[in-house]
Amino acid sequence: MTYLQLFGVSIPTLWIAILATAFLLSIKLDDWFSNALFIYIIVWKFSYIFRWESIWGLLYFNGGIKGHWLGLISAGIYMILFAAKKYPSIKEQVSLSILLYMYTFEAIFNVLQLDFLFAAIQGAIACLILSLRKKLTWQWILLFFTIELLTLSLQHTLTLTKLFTFSTLLFILFIIKERKNG
């Protein structure tokens, strides 16, 4: 993992990419997106409680891979059961937001890793997704999902965690879009 030094503090570039992407997308989306992201981060960060040894560990450590899955499932449950009823716009925004999150995150992360070729590829695909935002059918969604997996495998960064995370996001997207009543 690569770290960035800011004011004497080492911050993982992964965290910077996650927060930068979340900030960029939350500007244009309704509150459901920032609420789901907040739920994910809180559950992921504080799932460390289940194996903590000191109070200082809560400030520095995160919940690891188990916390990631707990956070993703918690955010998914929020989006499917609660956000879909409160924010009717979620059905229109969810496809675009999940695809843009995947590609924008990878573009920012690649810039932070100084891998400008793949950052440009990911950024160009994100622009293409934006240009097709009114025409995002299931065929387009699956095509962009497959292109993302292909790009990650060419980069040698496709891990089981990324594959299952993106698949889980696709599954959540499917449930939200196909539900009849909120």
Side-chain angles (χ1 to χ4, degrees):
M1 181 176 287
T2 308
Y3 292 86
L4 193 64
Q5 285 289 120
L6 289 175
F7 307 110
V9 177
S10 296
I11 302 172
T13 54
L14 178 70
W15 293 7
I16 295 170
I18 288 170
L19 293 176
T21 305
F23 174 75
L24 288 174
L25 290 182
S26 65
I27 291 172
K28 284 292 191 183
L29 296 173
D30 288 339
D31 286 341
W32 66 266
F33 180 77
S34 52
N35 292 345
L37 190 66
F38 181 75
I39 289 169
Y40 168 79
I41 290 173
I42 291 297
V43 171
W44 167 69
K45 183 73 174 161
F46 288 105
S47 64
Y48 178 75
I49 288 174
F50 296 122
R51 57 186 167 96
W52 77 327
E53 290 141 18
S54 74
I55 192 72
W56 297 110
L58 286 177
L59 297 175
Y60 183 73
F61 296 111
N62 58 56
I65 195 70
K66 291 178 184 173
H68 167 72
W69 290 113
L70 284 172
L72 193 62
I73 290 168
S74 300
I77 289 171
Y78 164 76
M79 289 190 317
I80 292 167
L81 296 181
F82 302 109
K85 290 181 179 139
K86 188 173 180 183
Y87 304 100
S89 62
I90 193 172
K91 286 194 178 207
E92 292 83 37
Q93 293 179 344
V94 72
S95 302
L96 182 65
S97 64
I98 287 178
L99 285 173
L100 278 180
Y101 192 88
M102 287 170 30
Y103 279 99
T104 307
F105 164 77
E106 291 295 335
I108 292 171
F109 187 67
N110 283 321
V111 166
L112 292 171
Q113 300 286 328
L114 305 177
D115 190 352
F116 299 113
L117 173 64
F118 281 103
I121 291 169
Q122 300 282 5
I125 294 172
C127 291
L128 179 61
I129 291 169
L130 272 174
S131 70
L132 293 171
R133 69 179 164 265
K134 299 288 185 193
K135 302 172 187 165
L136 277 179
T137 62
W138 278 111
Q139 290 85 1
W140 280 113
I141 293 168
L142 291 174
L143 176 67
F144 286 124
F145 179 75
T146 306
I147 291 171
E148 176 66 8
L149 296 180
L150 177 66
T151 307
L152 292 173
S153 66
L154 288 173
Q155 218 176 339
H156 304 291
T157 59
L158 180 62
T159 61
L160 234 53
T161 303
K162 276 188 182 178
L163 175 65
F164 287 147
T165 299
F166 291 161
S167 299
T168 303
L169 289 173
L170 190 68
F171 181 69
I172 291 168
L173 184 151
F174 177 77
I175 290 173
I176 290 172
K177 290 200 62 88
E178 295 302 318
R179 280 186 82 181
K180 300 292 184 216
N181 54 350

